Amino acid sequence: MEKLLTAAMANLLIKRLFVFCLFFSAFLNCKTAASQVSTSVLPSTKVKLAQHAAVVTAHPLASKAGLEILKKGGNAFDAAITTQLVLAVVYPGAGNLGGGGFMIAHQKDGKNLCLDFREVAPEKAFKNMYLDSNENPIPGLSQDGHLACGVPGTISGIFKILKYARLPFKDLIEPAIKYAQNGFALTSDQADDLNELKNDFLKNNHNPVAFVKDNPWKEGDILVQPELAATLNRIKENRLAGFYQGLTAQYIVEEMKNGNGIISYDDLKNYEARDRIPMEFDYKLNHIVTMPLPSSGGIILKQLLKMTAYKNMSSMGFQTPECMQLIIEAERCAYADRAFFLGDPDFVKVPIQTLTSESYLQSRINNYEPHKAGNSNDTKAGVINESEETTHISIIDDEGNAVAITTTLNDSYGSKTVVSKAGFILNNEMDDFSIKPGVPNLYGVTGNKANAIEPRKKMLSSMTPTIVLKDNKPVIVVGTPGGSTIPTNVFQTITSLIDFKMSPEDAVNLPKFHFQWLPDVVYFEPDFPIEKKIHLVEMGYSVRDRGYMGRTELIKIDYQKGKIITAIADKRGDDDAAGF
Ligand code: GLY
């Protein structure tokens, strides 16, 4: 009897254990599925303290995917590939397959890397392609639709980064495929953007696109992108050829024919991301590693840091009238140089040594009169566009690798042209060329011969992914979107940390200002203290309020008490900091 009872109880126990296991495995499956599909908007984390690794991006799902890769044993390069691909799905306004960008990285062995996957002008591009027969710019032609697109560089960039990564590529691309296939929940800002751009999408696309639906989008709506998922699957299977050749290339070339586009099969097949030598220089016991040409960002950053250090800015106090005037006058010099001298170094000779030499910069910054506004002396003032296109990723891993990537479609949602059947948006980067000397682009910056359009030439950029080293270890990983405001934004973040000893949170979030030679106007973010603006007006500066500039993604690493990583995601958007 006792034996029978024991057997019956054992039987019951086994049954219960079985039922429990079934429930537990269903629970686990649910959790796995939930981590693959996002059916509700993930809240963003703005400040994350970590000991091992961190990733900061413009979207919580991208940061989460990057973090999962780091926890799985991937390094900063693995995480960079995954976050970039996930951003192309969940942050389609700027994350991209159809755009380009730059990477600055520091490897754990102490080597600094620089990768240029900027778009290039198609072979059929020519100098006056956006001008009418009287050589006047045709409104919108360099900004909207098919003719505005440069040859995309992002996928070529990703496969160059893969050299430094550790995990199999199929694992790195999988999260992006899942979000494209199964969908993700739109944030409130994304829903608003898509509603605002509905007519642009309808105008620039012949076939239905995933971004347009009959009823207005709202927060929490699920955006599913099956055509994009198919493109990502082709890249997963065929790698570079999955984008630059075969079906995807065919769809891009066919899309060009739907409009007035000129990107050809050869343009795509011939595209190759380039390793470059990073721009490096010392700044107050730190070593700055940043982006050289074809970005103007590194040169401007170096010019601003050197000119303001020469005038001993840190002794002036943060945003005092004296300090702000110094920054504005340094920016006047730097952006005037940008307009006249800077362009793709493969096509034009740029006097970089002189432009960044101590003697040149000292003579330039000695020329302004204290308490009196300078004058940019030009009539062709442009209007600064407030688009927060472009996006930045900052990553640090546990081994000491750091990655800063800024990538872009140029304007928000680029040319608003979606490659039919391939589901991704093409850039409108051609507008970053100077379409005619003195004519301002989307960001109000003007240019000259150095940045004129030529086939296969790269358009000048402002993107400034930057890593600051101390004793050859990364202490700051930083970057931001914001077009021409990028270099001044990165400059303000770095000097807030180094010169004004500000907390990382304040360095990112306190209101910033911007000046770029032309238009001869100082721009202020919302909530910039009024009394500071009044001081500038009293000196004779023109001032104007504008929307937010940039979204800075900052990682600061402190080695004094062990390793403390502070990851800050900009408060200005859905940006998110993750780490462990
Ligand atoms: N498209 C903005 C930049 O590259 O600066």
Side-chain angles (χ1 to χ4, degrees):
M1 183 69 184
E2 229 178 60
K3 269 190 188 162
L4 267 179
L5 258 179
T6 320
M9 276 175 67
N11 210 354
L12 192 69
L13 257 176
I14 289 168
K15 274 190 185 149
R16 289 207 168 147
L17 197 63
F18 180 66
V19 171
F20 172 75
C21 285
L22 269 183
F23 272 115
F24 190 63
S25 107
F27 170 69
L28 278 186
N29 282 342
C30 275
K31 294 252 320 172
T32 318
S35 69
Q36 287 167 353
V37 188
S38 176
T39 51
S40 58
V41 179
L42 267 192
S44 0
T45 302
K46 294 298 181 190
V47 182
K48 182 79 197 172
L49 290 181
Q51 277 182 305
H52 301 281
V55 42
V56 194
T57 77
H59 197 284
L61 293 176
S63 300
K64 180 170 171 274
L67 184 69
E68 279 169 10
I69 288 292
L70 289 166
K71 283 185 171 169
K72 250 172 124 174
N75 64 20
F77 298 98
D78 291 286
I81 291 171
T82 294
T83 48
Q84 168 67 30
L85 289 167
V86 170
L87 283 171
V89 179
V90 304
Y91 193 64
N96 65 81
L97 304 185
F102 301 126
M103 176 185 82
I104 290 292
H106 176 81
Q107 285 183 291
K108 60 181 177 188
D109 64 5
K111 193 166 169 228
N112 299 322
L113 305 173
C114 175
L115 182 63
D116 166 8
F117 49 100
R118 180 75 162 161
E119 300 92 325
V120 295
E123 184 68 43
K124 288 204 189 108
F126 58 97
K127 189 171 143 230
N128 287 353
M129 63 189 275
Y130 300 113
L131 307 183
D132 64 17
S133 51
N134 296 319
E135 304 213 343
N136 292 318
I138 302 170
L141 202 58
S142 64
Q143 292 174 9
D144 289 331
H146 303 70
L147 196 60
C149 312
V151 184
T154 294
I155 293 301
S156 181
I158 278 179
F159 282 98
K160 286 256 184 201
I161 300 172
L162 195 62
K163 270 197 316 216
Y164 310 105
R166 179 180 297 146
L167 300 181
F169 181 65
K170 63 177 180 33
D171 293 358
L172 302 180
I173 197 171
E174 208 49 48
I177 295 175
K178 291 272 156 38
Y179 286 127
Q181 188 67 56
N182 302 335
F184 70 97
L186 291 176
T187 66
S188 159
D189 282 356
Q190 287 181 316
D192 290 349
D193 285 350
L194 290 181
N195 292 332
E196 215 169 276
L197 293 172
K198 181 172 179 175
N199 288 336
D200 292 280
F201 284 126
L202 291 174
K203 190 178 95 195
N204 290 302
N205 295 283
H206 287 63
N207 298 310
V209 296
F211 306 117
V212 173
K213 69 180 181 79
D214 291 341
N215 300 321
W217 292 99
K218 52 186 190 329
E219 179 179 340
D221 281 352
I222 305 298
L223 178 64
V224 183
Q225 302 171 82
E227 292 181 338
L228 179 58
T231 300
L232 289 164
N233 268 313
R234 284 192 294 278
I235 297 168
K236 178 178 157 188
E237 294 309 320
N238 304 316
R239 300 192 157 218
L240 268 183
F243 185 85
Y244 290 101
Q245 294 178 46
L247 265 190
T248 312
Q250 181 188 320
Y251 293 153
I252 295 173
V253 173
E254 279 172 9
E255 185 56 51
M256 291 291 108
K257 290 181 189 145
N258 283 335
N260 47 2
I262 53 174
I263 297 177
S264 69
Y265 285 110
D266 279 349
D267 285 327
L268 294 165
K269 206 165 80 198
N270 294 336
Y271 185 90
E272 198 184 346
R274 294 263 303 269
D275 291 310
R276 294 208 183 257
I277 297 168
M279 166 159 269
E280 299 191 35
F281 56 95
D282 291 332
Y283 180 68
K284 300 193 172 174
L285 304 179
N286 297 280
H287 187 70
I288 311 261
V289 187
T290 188
M291 194 63 213
L293 290 171
S295 179
S296 60
I299 293 176
I300 295 177
L301 181 64
K302 183 170 179 183
Q303 289 186 317
L304 294 180
L305 288 171
K306 295 278 173 197
M307 283 189 273
T308 52
Y310 172 66
K311 289 281 191 183
N312 201 7
M313 179 181 73
S314 42
S315 70
M316 295 175 177
F318 177 68
Q319 288 183 354
T320 57
E322 201 185 2
C323 167
M324 287 179 68
Q325 185 187 22
L326 170 61
I327 294 173
I328 292 164
E329 293 307 329
E331 288 167 347
R332 192 189 306 279
C333 302
Y335 278 83
D337 284 349
R338 181 196 198 276
F340 283 108
F341 296 113
L342 306 193
D344 182 344
D346 289 348
F347 286 74
V348 288
K349 200 164 163 29
V350 180
I352 303 172
Q353 296 298 348
T354 308
L355 290 176
T356 56
S357 72
E358 301 277 345
S359 55
Y360 172 79
L361 293 170
Q362 284 174 15
S363 71
R364 294 276 279 166
I365 198 61
N366 270 336
N367 283 336
Y368 77 90
E369 199 177 315
H371 310 296
K372 186 166 183 293
N375 180 2
S376 291
N377 195 22
D378 196 301
T379 50
K380 289 198 177 71
V383 175
I384 294 209
N385 187 293
E386 297 187 5
S387 135
E388 295 304 339
E389 47 49 66
T390 309
T391 189
H392 180 83
I393 301 166
S394 290
I395 302 177
I396 181 98
D397 68 20
D398 206 9
E399 302 161 32
N401 299 298
V403 173
I405 293 182
T406 314
T407 174
T408 186
L409 289 165
N410 195 24
D411 202 357
S412 183
Y413 293 86
S415 61
K416 322 300 187 277
T417 302
V418 181
V419 179
S420 188
K421 295 189 253 177
F424 62 88
I425 295 175
L426 287 168
N427 66 82
N428 62 343
E429 219 70 63
M430 292 295 283
D431 189 61
D432 270 348
F433 279 117
S434 166
I435 62 169
K436 183 180 175 179
V439 171
N441 74 358
L442 188 61
Y443 305 102
V445 285
T446 52
N448 219 292
K449 277 211 300 268
N451 190 30
I453 303 171
E454 289 183 60
R456 298 182 307 282
K457 188 175 175 184
K458 297 199 173 195
M459 52 299 279
L460 189 62
S461 172
S462 299
M463 294 187 284
T464 318
T466 298
I467 295 176
V468 181
L469 306 173
K470 200 160 193 174
D471 304 323
N472 210 21
K473 284 200 286 207
V475 289
I476 296 171
V477 186
V478 68
T480 178
S484 55
T485 69
I486 294 173
T488 59
N489 197 326
V490 170
F491 164 80
Q492 287 174 83
T493 307
I494 289 178
T495 52
S496 291
L497 291 168
I498 295 177
D499 293 76
F500 299 113
K501 315 279 180 248
M502 210 172 264
S503 73
E505 214 173 337
D506 281 350
V508 168
N509 291 327
L510 282 183
K512 296 190 167 83
F513 66 102
H514 173 72
F515 182 77
Q516 59 177 39
W517 178 59
L518 287 179
D520 198 343
V521 173
V522 187
Y523 290 89
F524 297 98
E525 282 199 304
D527 303 325
F528 199 94
I530 178 90
E531 64 282 2
K532 296 182 183 176
K533 295 188 227 177
I534 292 172
H535 284 306
L536 289 181
V537 172
E538 284 169 353
M539 291 185 212
Y541 288 99
S542 300
V543 301
R544 202 172 299 163
D545 292 332
R546 54 156 289 168
Y548 288 129
M549 343 188 210
R551 289 166 176 203
T552 301
E553 318 294 13
L554 170 71
I555 296 177
K556 185 163 181 290
I557 309 106
D558 210 321
Y559 299 94
Q560 264 110 38
K561 301 182 198 127
K563 186 164 80 175
I564 300 172
I565 300 169
T566 310
I568 307 288
D570 201 311
K571 69 165 191 187
R572 295 164 179 83
D574 299 319
D575 311 50
D576 179 77
F580 71 102

